[in-house]
């Protein structure tokens, strides 16, 4: 497997390793996934959404909103697992797999993928832990591992011991736990580290936090805290009717990264024809709306729309010809080359 590195989200200086399987392995891994998915889907819980059929990040966000509103915000454990995909224990993963799959051919070939060498900068390495991100079968195996580590434990051990409501939403290794009572949240928070260490995993000490996310009281100007999940910051805001509701807006780092990416594209492609630029920008903006265009996030995507117009104007004026446009003339110009207006694509409360 070939290893490449890509910038990690939110930290350009830190790189995330990605494994690229051979073409033949991709085909075989897809076949194994198609065979195993129906078996695992019978066990996986409905609060797990990452890399599963007929599930998406938006459905996870919708569930999180409903659970947080149902607990009046409650107390939130925003969990981060340190280098999860790189630290999955191969022996434990095989044990979990063999509990559900008795076909020796399948278990042996998965074992070979786990033990396969990695070509990194011309050197061959044999990792003793982890499932390579980028492998077709890796999401299924990682879901199986976390199902055993946290999902099943939460349902069978944690929830029966809670005094009030408790809910969890997981998307791959992004986990949020919501508790109605502070005492329940504190009890879970105290044992999380030991639970994950039992399986060779570590909770990130700085990124994992217990938050008071309870609904603001009368006269309180804003909520006590906010947290980020799947690229959205969740916070308390007043609706048009004056009621407190959980709002969502594009996370500031994601917003800045999206604008910077389009700015870099406009700079590198400013010599293209107007139609070529216009067609590509339309596709990029629609793609942004397709993910971030959710209920209560209109202000963020409207700001994105304004910023991209300003970026396009800047680089159009640097094409080297005379007669640079000001904002007023550019607005008239956009009548012939309109960029997609902000749109809520996923409407739910």
């Amino acid at each position: 497997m070939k290893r490449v590195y890509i910038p990690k989200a939110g930290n350009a200086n830190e790189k995330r390793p990605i494994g690229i399987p051979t073409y033949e392995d991709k085909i075989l891994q897809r076949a194994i996934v198609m065979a195993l998915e129906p078996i695992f889907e019978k066990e996986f819980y409905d609060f797990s959404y990452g890399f599963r059929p007929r599930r998406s990040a938006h459905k996870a966000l919708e569930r999180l909103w409903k659970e947080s509103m149902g607990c009046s915000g409650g107390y939130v454990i925003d969990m981060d697992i340190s280098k999860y995909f790189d630290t999955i224990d191969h022996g434990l993963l095989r044990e979990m797999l063999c509990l559900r799959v008795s076909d020796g051919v399948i278990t042996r070939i998965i074992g070979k993928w786990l033990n396969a060498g990695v070509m990194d900068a011309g050197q061959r390495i044999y990792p003793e832990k982890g499932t390579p991100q980028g492998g077709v079968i890796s999401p299924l195996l990682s879901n199986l591992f976390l199902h055993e580590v946290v999902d099943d434990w939460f349902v069978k051990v944690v929830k029966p011991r809670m005094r009030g409501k408790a809910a969890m939403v997981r998307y791959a290794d992004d986990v949020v736990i919501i508790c109605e009572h502070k005492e329940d949240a504190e009890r879970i928070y105290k044992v999380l580290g030991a639970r994950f260490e039992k399986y060779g995993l570590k909770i990130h000490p700085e990124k994992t936090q217990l938050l008071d996310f309870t609904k603001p009281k009368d006269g309180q100007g804003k909520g006590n805290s906010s947290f980020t999940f799947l690229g959205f910051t969740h916070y308390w805001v007043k609706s048009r009717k004056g009621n407190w509701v959980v709002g969502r807006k594009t996370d500031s780092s994601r917003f800045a990264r999206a604008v910077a990416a389009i700015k870099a594209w406009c700079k590198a492609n400013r010599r293209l024809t107007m139609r070529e630029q216009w067609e590509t920008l339309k596709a990029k903006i629609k793609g942004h709306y397709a993910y971030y265009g959710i209920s209560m996030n209109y202000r963020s995507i409207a700001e994105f729309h304004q910023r991209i117009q300003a970026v396009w104007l800047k680089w159009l004026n640097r094409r080297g010809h005379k007669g640079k446009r000001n904002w007023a003339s550019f607005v008239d110009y956009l009548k012939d080359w309109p960029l997609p207006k902000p749109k809520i694509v996923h409407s739910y409360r």
Side-chain angles (χ1 to χ4, degrees), residues 8 16 48-51 78-88 133 139 142-143 145-147 150-151 168-176 196 201-204 208 229-230:
K8 199 169 183 179
R16 183 190 299 276
S48 167
Y49 289 86
F51 310 113
D78 184 13
M79 194 189 310
D80 186 273
I81 307 172
S82 296
K83 299 181 179 179
Y84 169 62
F85 287 92
D86 301 330
T87 55
I88 295 177
Q133 295 183 68
S142 65
N143 265 336
F145 200 78
L146 278 185
H147 170 80
V150 65
D151 296 2
M168 184 171 78
V169 179
R170 182 172 70 82
Y171 190 92
D173 59 335
D174 291 328
V175 186
V176 173
F196 279 82
L201 303 174
K202 289 185 178 180
I203 297 295
H204 199 294
T208 300
F229 182 67
L230 297 181

Side-chain angles (χ1 to χ4, degrees), residues 58 61 65 230-235 237 246-252 254-255 288-305 342-349:
H58 293 105
L61 288 163
W65 188 87
L230 297 181
F232 292 89
T233 298
H234 296 70
Y235 65 106
V237 64
V246 176
R248 293 153 301 188
K249 61 182 179 181
T250 308
D251 177 58
S252 58
R254 294 283 190 100
F255 184 93
H288 186 86
Y289 296 163
Y291 186 76
Y292 292 103
I294 69 173
S295 300
M296 306 187 74
N297 194 39
Y298 185 85
R299 183 176 296 180
S300 290
I301 60 175
E303 183 182 350
F304 179 80
H305 180 256
K343 180 182 180 182
I344 298 297
V345 180
H346 308 277
S347 179
Y348 55 80
R349 291 293 181 90

Side-chain angles (χ1 to χ4, degrees), residues 23-85:
Y23 181 71
E24 292 84 351
D25 267 349
K26 287 182 180 180
I27 295 173
L28 187 53
Q29 286 185 23
R30 172 53 59 191
I32 298 296
V33 168
M34 292 172 67
L36 295 184
E37 211 167 53
I39 299 172
F40 294 162
E41 280 297 313
K42 292 179 180 179
E43 290 193 34
F44 290 167
Y45 294 105
D46 60 355
F47 54 74
S48 167
Y49 289 86
F51 310 113
R52 292 181 59 190
R54 296 175 296 281
R55 290 171 175 264
S56 67
H58 293 105
K59 289 184 177 180
L61 288 163
E62 181 178 7
R63 178 160 191 149
L64 179 62
W65 188 87
K66 291 178 178 178
E67 296 288 5
S68 57
M69 288 294 294
C71 289
S72 295
Y75 295 85
V76 170
I77 300 174
D78 184 13
M79 194 189 310
D80 186 273
I81 307 172
S82 296
K83 299 181 179 179
Y84 169 62
F85 287 92

Side-chain angles (χ1 to χ4, degrees), residues 82-130:
S82 296
K83 299 181 179 179
Y84 169 62
F85 287 92
D86 301 330
T87 55
I88 295 177
D89 187 285
H90 288 176
L92 291 174
L93 179 57
R94 286 196 194 94
E95 290 178 13
M96 297 173 190
L97 184 67
C98 289
L99 288 174
R100 298 160 175 85
V101 181
S102 58
D103 190 310
V105 174
I106 291 180
T107 55
R108 281 195 299 273
I109 198 166
I110 290 177
K112 289 181 179 180
W113 284 326
L114 292 174
N115 294 326
V118 175
M119 188 63 69
D120 190 348
Q123 294 185 339
R124 185 175 294 178
I125 304 169
Y126 292 92
E128 297 179 358
K129 293 183 177 182

Side-chain angles (χ1 to χ4, degrees), residues 264-323:
W265 185 89
C266 288
K267 178 181 178 181
N269 296 277
R270 61 187 184 275
R271 303 298 179 188
L272 295 178
T273 65
M274 281 298 301
R275 176 162 293 279
E276 288 175 317
Q277 290 189 46
W278 179 60
E279 292 287 355
T280 302
L281 282 175
K282 281 198 305 178
K284 290 179 179 292
I285 293 171
K286 286 180 179 179
H288 186 86
Y289 296 163
Y291 186 76
Y292 292 103
I294 69 173
S295 300
M296 306 187 74
N297 194 39
Y298 185 85
R299 183 176 296 180
S300 290
I301 60 175
E303 183 182 350
F304 179 80
H305 180 256
Q306 285 293 113
R307 292 281 294 276
I308 298 311
Q309 288 184 115
V311 166
W312 196 24
L313 171 61
K314 174 184 175 179
W315 290 107
L316 284 177
N317 281 335
R318 296 194 179 187
R319 285 160 62 94
H321 56 74
K322 296 180 180 180

